[in-house]
């Protein structure tokens, strides 16, 4: 169906995808949105207790994710024949588990014999750590606190025949360590003053090659033997460890590259269906668009403009590209400029702001409406490439019927800008740390060829499966379902711990 220049017909669909992919000749793992049907099946198969899935398209579905984003306001976006590598545990699956506070978790296998750990994925920090020879750790089993009926493992170097403790003299020990024969200590403090500390160890991480051989790769990895945890790590946030994916020397992607196992690059693919993959070693393709990455511990790009329909706006700002943030956050004046231009070009009537929704620009839908005509949105990046925004909307359902759509951009009060996962839907995003470029191209995360995104798709129906009541926040009450015109936000009982900006970044000491 033809549309006027700068506008396109799109179906109202869910845009909260979460994916990390291992590229060709790289290592990969599959990610699932924490509210996806795949995660629900996983939880039900394991008799997960206390799990709660808000219905797709309801207000609490989106506000729960925005609540998570706000909890991250202190986060500081923390020539060989290679084969892409993926985590070998649990069929290389990565899960989003709402009750554990973080967006994404992956199963990793460490040591000899292998032990499995469910670690939170964090692109805003660098260190992989797991509970180990504990002085103060989260309980290994607490379904009331975790919302998952499973027992977590505790690592011990003495129980692994391939383990060795790092010494102060080791090049990976970058602390004020005394005595060449002493164990290398580590300590990381996060934004909310939660912390982990212990000693650094080296042991085997089990990966699988993403090629026809499917061979197992046993990679020596340095990680934290976390003897003492504090704060939210004791109350349901990352009870079984955390995997940092930042650019630090000790981060797993950095170690894999330094060992010659992969190029120093990885890709994340964000499928429209909420499922994706992480590929270590993916260098992208010749067809991808690119822009420089600013030298930082994290993934920061520069933008020179925005376009909404036929209206182009000059702008000069930097933004974190962060898969751990559900929505996109823009500071002033970029936020108002984009939102008001969008508002001037849509046909539907704008609703008054709802304090129970995180979005300012929402629009009524007629009962029979299946699609909307919206202006095309893209960013212009340093170097002139266009970063397309294929899914800038979310759809709100009331009583199972599409009631409104919203521009899924939030006015940032963090002091910085974030390109969240919703603006990366439909793209394979490549973090090339060797060339210091960010690349992207259209992808469905499954086929080997790029996918055109010009055709409209059907309006999804909200999930019809029964939804259990969520856990109540201490001192609060569970959220309401969106079965009336009153739309309520979900309140999470867990404090999300990530890396903070400026002086509050996690530090190894």
């Amino acid at each position: 169906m033809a549309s006027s220049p700068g506008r396109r017909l799109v179906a109202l669909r869910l845009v909260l995808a979460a994916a990390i992919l291992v590229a060709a000749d790289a290592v990969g793992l599959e990610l699932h949105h924490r509210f996806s049907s795949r995660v629900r099946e996983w939880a039900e198969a394991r008799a997960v207790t206390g799990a709660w899935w808000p219905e797709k398209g309801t207000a609490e579905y989106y506000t729960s994710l925005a609540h998570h984003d706000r909890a991250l306001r202190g986060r500081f976006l923390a020539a060989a024949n290679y084969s892409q590598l993926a985590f070998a545990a649990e069929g290389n699956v990565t899960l989003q588990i709402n009750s554990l506070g973080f967006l994404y978790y992956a199963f990793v296998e460490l040591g000899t014999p292998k032990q499995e750990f469910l670690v939170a994925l964090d692109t805003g920090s660098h260190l992989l750590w797991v509970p180990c020879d504990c002085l103060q750790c989260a309980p290994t089993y607490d379904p009331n606190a975790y919302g998952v009926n499973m027992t977590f493992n505790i690592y011990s170097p003495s129980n692994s025949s391939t383990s060795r403790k790092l010494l102060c003299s080791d090049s990976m020990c970058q602390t004020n360590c005394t005595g060449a024969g002493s164990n290398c200590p580590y300590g990381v403090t996060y934004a909310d003053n939660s912390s982990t500390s212990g000693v650094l160890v080296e042991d085997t991480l089990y990966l699988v090659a993403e090629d026809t051989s499917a061979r197992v790769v046993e990679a020596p990895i340095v990680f934290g033997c976390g003897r003492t945890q504090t704060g939210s790590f004791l109350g349901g946030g990352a009870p079984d460890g955390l995997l940092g994916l930042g650019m630090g020397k000790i981060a797993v992607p950095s170690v894999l590259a330094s060992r010659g196992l992969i190029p120093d690059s990885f890709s994340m693919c964000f499928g429209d269906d909420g499922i994706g993959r992480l590929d270590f070693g993916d260098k992208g393709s010749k067809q991808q668009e690119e822009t420089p990455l600013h030298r930082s511990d994290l993934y920061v790009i520069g933008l020179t403009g925005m376009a909404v329909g036929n209206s182009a706006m000059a702008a000069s700002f930097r933004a974190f590209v962060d898969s751990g943030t559900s929505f996109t956050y823009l500071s002033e004046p970029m936020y108002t400029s984009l939102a008001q231009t969008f508002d001037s070009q849509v046909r539907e009537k704008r609703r008054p702001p709802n304090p129970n929704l995180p979005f300012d620009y929402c629009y009524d839908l007629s009962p029979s409406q299946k699609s909307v005509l919206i202006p095309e949105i893209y960013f212009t990046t340093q170097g002139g490439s266009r970063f397309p925004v294929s899914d800038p909307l979310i759809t709100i359902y009331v009583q199972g019927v599409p009631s409104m759509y919203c521009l899924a951009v939030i006015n940032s009060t963090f002091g910085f800008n974030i390109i969240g996962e919703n603006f990366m839907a439909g793209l394979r995003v490549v973090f090339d740390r060797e060339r210091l470029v960010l690349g992207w191209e259209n992808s469905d995360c499954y086929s080997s060829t790029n996918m055109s995104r010009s055709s409209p798709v059907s309006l999804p129906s909200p999930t019809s499966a029964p939804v259990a009541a969520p856990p109540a926040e201490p001192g609060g009450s569970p959220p309401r379902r969106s079965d009336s015109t009153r739309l309520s936000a979900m309140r999470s009982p867990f404090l999300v711990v990530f890396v903070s900006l400026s002086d509050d970044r996690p530090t190894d000491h």
Side-chain angles (χ1 to χ4, degrees):
M1 182 173 182
S3 61
S4 60
R7 301 174 73 88
R8 58 199 174 97
L9 186 67
V10 300
L12 304 178
R13 52 185 169 176
L14 301 175
V15 299
L16 302 178
I20 299 185
L21 175 71
V22 177
D25 296 333
V27 181
L29 59 122
E30 186 172 327
L31 296 180
H32 298 280
H33 196 281
R34 70 177 180 231
F35 297 141
S36 73
S37 59
R38 295 284 294 276
V39 175
R40 184 192 294 261
E41 292 168 3
W42 173 88
E44 291 173 348
R46 289 160 176 78
V48 172
T49 60
W52 175 70
W53 286 269
E55 292 191 72
K56 277 188 177 181
T58 59
E60 53 263 32
Y61 180 92
Y62 299 109
T63 50
S64 66
L65 296 179
H67 174 84
H68 168 273
D69 296 341
R70 288 195 172 92
L72 296 182
R73 63 184 179 276
R75 181 178 181 178
F76 186 67
L77 295 171
N81 291 322
Y82 296 102
S83 290
Q84 294 181 187
L85 301 177
F87 294 135
E90 288 288 326
N92 192 34
V93 67
T94 303
L95 306 169
Q96 292 180 312
I97 304 175
N98 182 43
S99 63
L100 293 182
F102 287 84
L103 281 174
Y104 309 115
Y105 284 80
F107 289 97
V108 300
E109 290 176 333
L110 296 168
T112 308
K114 300 174 185 176
Q115 277 190 290
E116 188 175 86
F117 299 88
L118 182 66
V119 296
L121 304 180
D122 181 15
T123 57
S125 63
H126 314 292
L127 180 69
L128 165 63
W129 63 267
V130 296
C132 168
D133 287 348
C134 289
L135 297 175
Q136 181 174 277
C137 299
T140 56
Y141 180 78
D142 190 345
N144 292 327
Y146 302 148
V148 291
N149 188 21
M150 62 184 297
T151 300
F152 298 124
N153 286 320
I154 300 293
Y155 176 86
S156 178
S158 62
N159 292 335
S160 173
S161 62
T162 50
S163 176
R164 75 175 182 91
K165 292 184 179 180
L166 265 67
L167 302 180
C168 293
S169 56
D170 194 286
S171 61
M172 294 294 285
C173 183
Q174 299 180 323
T175 63
N176 295 323
C177 189
T178 59
S182 300
N183 295 328
C184 178
Y186 84 88
V188 181
T189 300
Y190 295 81
D192 69 340
N193 291 321
S194 294
S195 66
T196 175
S197 61
V199 297
L200 294 181
V201 300
E202 181 183 85
D203 208 339
T204 301
L205 171 67
Y206 294 88
L207 304 163
V208 62
E210 295 279 285
D211 57 24
T212 55
S213 71
R215 72 187 187 282
V216 174
V217 176
E218 299 180 4
I221 292 292
V222 173
F223 59 93
C225 168
R227 303 193 68 193
T228 302
Q229 277 66 250
T230 68
S232 61
F233 291 139
L234 300 176
D240 210 26
L242 182 143
L243 172 62
L245 293 168
M247 297 182 72
K249 179 180 178 181
I250 205 168
V252 167
S254 304
V255 174
L256 294 176
S258 68
R259 302 280 187 187
L261 295 173
I262 60 166
D264 192 7
S265 184
F266 67 90
S267 68
M268 305 176 77
C269 191
F270 297 81
D272 288 330
D273 58 1
I275 300 174
R277 292 185 58 83
L278 165 65
D279 289 337
F280 296 113
D282 186 5
K283 297 284 289 182
S285 72
K286 295 180 180 179
Q287 292 75 37
Q288 71 183 16
E289 298 284 335
E290 294 183 346
T291 192
L293 282 170
H294 288 267
R295 290 192 176 274
S296 169
D297 288 344
L298 303 166
Y299 306 108
V300 182
I301 63 172
L303 298 111
T304 59
M306 305 180 294
V308 180
N310 291 326
S311 298
M313 298 155 278
S316 179
F317 62 101
R318 294 184 180 184
F320 302 109
V321 180
D322 181 22
S323 64
T325 302
S326 304
F327 305 112
T328 293
Y329 291 73
L330 295 178
S331 301
E332 295 292 2
M334 285 76 68
Y335 171 77
T336 295
S337 180
L338 184 145
Q340 289 186 350
T341 305
F342 177 88
D343 181 65
S344 69
Q345 296 185 36
V346 297
R347 298 175 177 177
E348 286 72 28
K349 180 182 178 181
R350 183 183 172 193
R351 296 174 63 98
N354 186 326
N356 292 316
L357 281 174
F359 312 110
D360 297 328
Y361 288 79
C362 295
Y363 303 86
D364 286 320
L365 292 169
S366 63
S368 61
Q369 191 168 354
K370 300 298 182 182
S371 62
V372 293
L373 189 66
I374 66 166
E376 182 180 8
I377 298 175
Y378 66 85
F379 292 120
T380 303
T381 64
Q382 285 184 346
S385 293
R386 290 186 175 187
F387 188 96
V389 179
S390 61
D391 286 304
L393 307 182
I394 57 93
T395 308
I396 304 295
Y397 289 79
V398 176
Q399 296 181 337
V401 177
S403 173
M404 71 183 86
Y405 70 88
C406 301
L407 177 64
V409 182
I410 298 174
N411 195 344
S412 174
T413 58
F414 307 150
F416 51 90
N417 305 289
I418 304 171
I419 295 177
E421 65 180 59
N422 68 318
F423 271 33
M424 292 184 271
L427 298 176
R428 184 180 82 176
V429 182
V430 178
F431 300 81
D432 191 329
R433 296 134 56 101
E434 287 182 340
R435 295 194 298 130
L436 282 179
V437 299
L438 184 82
W440 60 90
E441 60 183 330
N442 292 333
S443 176
D444 68 353
C445 303
Y446 306 109
S447 64
S448 58
T449 57
N450 296 339
M451 301 294 293
S452 169
R453 302 183 54 77
S454 59
S455 300
V457 298
S458 300
L459 176 68
S461 298
T463 178
S464 57
V467 179
E473 181 177 357
S477 57
R480 297 189 180 191
R481 295 271 302 280
S482 278
D483 51 6
S484 69
T485 55
R486 173 168 171 75
L487 306 176
S488 305
M490 186 183 91
R491 303 175 66 189
S492 170
F494 300 112
L495 176 62
V496 178
V497 181
F498 274 159
V499 186
S500 141
L501 276 172
S502 67
D503 295 335
D504 289 328
R505 281 182 281 179
T507 54
D508 297 341
H509 53 264

